[in-house]
Amino acid sequence: MSNENPSLVPEAACLYVVGTPIGNLADLSERAISILSKVDCVACEDTRVTGLLFSRIGIKRPLIPYHDKNEANATNGLIQRLKSGESVAIVSDAGTPAVSDPGFRIVRECRRQGITVVPVPGPCAFTTLLSASGLPTDSFLYMGFLPPKSAARIRFLEKHKDYKRTIALYESCHRIEKFMNEMEKTLGPDRVICIGRELTKKFETIHSGKIVDIRPQFDQGSKKGEFVVLIAPANYEL
Ligand code: SAM
């Protein structure tokens, strides 16, 4: 009889929602590796990205594309596989599936059809920064990506100028400078924010403090890579 921890072995007809690293490969959990190496197939956002991850950790499993453009069709196919008894894992390119990433539809459909869904937790960019930011974590608003148009972002900031909770946002490297200007103008230079760049990677940078105080380092630093922005509650002092 095997002594293997049962949580490391996938069950038949079960969907596993598996978190993968947001940069640092060592953040892939033992349980994630075990489940990913033993499921019947893995639904992934980009087969090249997941294929590279798998080749680095020595895993070979059938990969099924599951992304924004084919989510509806791919969901039907995956549900059929699950109903026939296959175990399926879903991953995104980085972080937690379904958090500003594909995954929500297949999970919802499984829940609707009584198929078991098991989370295998892993990194998530905004909770990673939140945990190290010094900003209030007891209650927060996660908004993902704001709209790309400046006017819509400014409207959001104006609406939340007096908001009493931390706000967590994702922003692209192409807009981060512009967004910094929009925050300074709309929320004022004394608003406390935290900006995390390239979290868990070699050039990880975290600036936390009043906009006016972190601006010089931010302006001088590289704007390449991936960014998370946290906005502290109104009147919060770090
Ligand atoms: N599902 C992912 C998660 O759990 O965080 C988020 C996916 S979303 C498409 C990608 C965005 O997450 C990036 O544009 C960036 O804003 C943020 N992000 C992902 N990895 C990051 C990292 N290592 N450092 C900073 N931000 C990151």
Side-chain angles (χ1 to χ4, degrees):
M1 211 169 84
S2 161
N3 282 335
E4 194 164 20
N5 177 342
S7 76
L8 300 180
V9 184
E11 284 187 23
C14 210
L15 177 73
Y16 291 84
V17 184
V18 183
T20 58
I22 55 168
N24 191 327
L25 198 60
D27 292 335
L28 190 62
S29 75
E30 179 192 349
R31 188 167 166 229
I33 294 174
S34 183
I35 293 292
L36 290 174
S37 60
K38 292 177 184 146
V39 285
D40 290 308
C41 65
V42 178
C44 56
E45 192 179 356
D46 185 332
T47 53
R48 288 164 304 181
V49 174
T50 302
L52 189 62
L53 173 71
F54 279 17
S55 75
R56 284 183 175 155
I57 55 175
I59 291 182
K60 268 197 183 153
R61 297 315 299 144
L63 299 179
I64 297 173
Y66 183 90
H67 44 72
D68 288 341
K69 296 199 174 75
N70 78 345
E71 250 190 305
N73 280 339
T75 293
N76 294 335
L78 292 170
I79 292 288
Q80 291 317 314
R81 283 174 178 267
L82 286 157
K83 282 187 159 169
S84 74
E86 286 192 23
S87 56
V88 176
I90 178 160
V91 297
S92 59
D93 286 353
T96 301
V99 175
S100 297
D101 260 345
F104 161 71
R105 281 189 180 76
I106 176 70
V107 171
R108 180 179 61 181
E109 201 49 36
C110 284
R111 295 260 167 229
R112 283 177 174 166
Q113 301 207 25
I115 295 168
T116 308
V117 182
V118 177
V120 180
C124 173
F126 84 87
T127 54
T128 298
L129 184 63
L130 197 57
S131 69
S133 66
L135 270 56
T137 53
D138 51 342
S139 144
F140 55 84
L141 172 69
Y142 170 66
M143 285 301 294
F145 290 96
L146 290 182
K149 290 232 164 78
S150 192
R153 289 205 303 269
I154 289 172
R155 260 200 312 280
F156 172 86
L157 293 171
E158 275 166 354
K159 193 171 160 199
H160 292 85
K161 201 171 171 176
D162 300 319
Y163 197 65
K164 297 286 187 289
R165 296 184 169 91
T166 298
I167 299 171
L169 302 164
Y170 287 159
E171 189 52 281
S172 92
C173 55
H174 309 293
R175 278 190 291 269
I176 190 71
E177 244 171 325
K178 211 168 168 206
F179 189 51
M180 186 67 148
N181 292 334
E182 289 161 358
M183 285 191 292
E184 182 162 15
K185 217 168 157 195
T186 313
L187 305 174
D190 289 335
R191 187 64 165 255
V192 171
I193 63 167
C194 179
I195 297 201
R197 171 182 164 258
E198 295 290 86
L199 297 168
T200 78
K201 302 184 198 176
K202 188 174 175 191
F203 296 108
E204 176 180 272
T205 319
I206 298 178
H207 299 304
S208 210
K210 288 182 179 176
I211 295 177
V212 65
D213 295 333
I214 67 171
R215 215 46 241 233
Q217 301 139 280
F218 172 81
D219 288 345
Q220 278 166 27
S222 167
K223 311 294 179 302
K224 286 192 188 137
E226 301 191 279
F227 290 85
V228 180
V229 178
L230 304 175
I231 301 172
N235 304 320
Y236 179 72
E237 303 262 347
L238 192 60

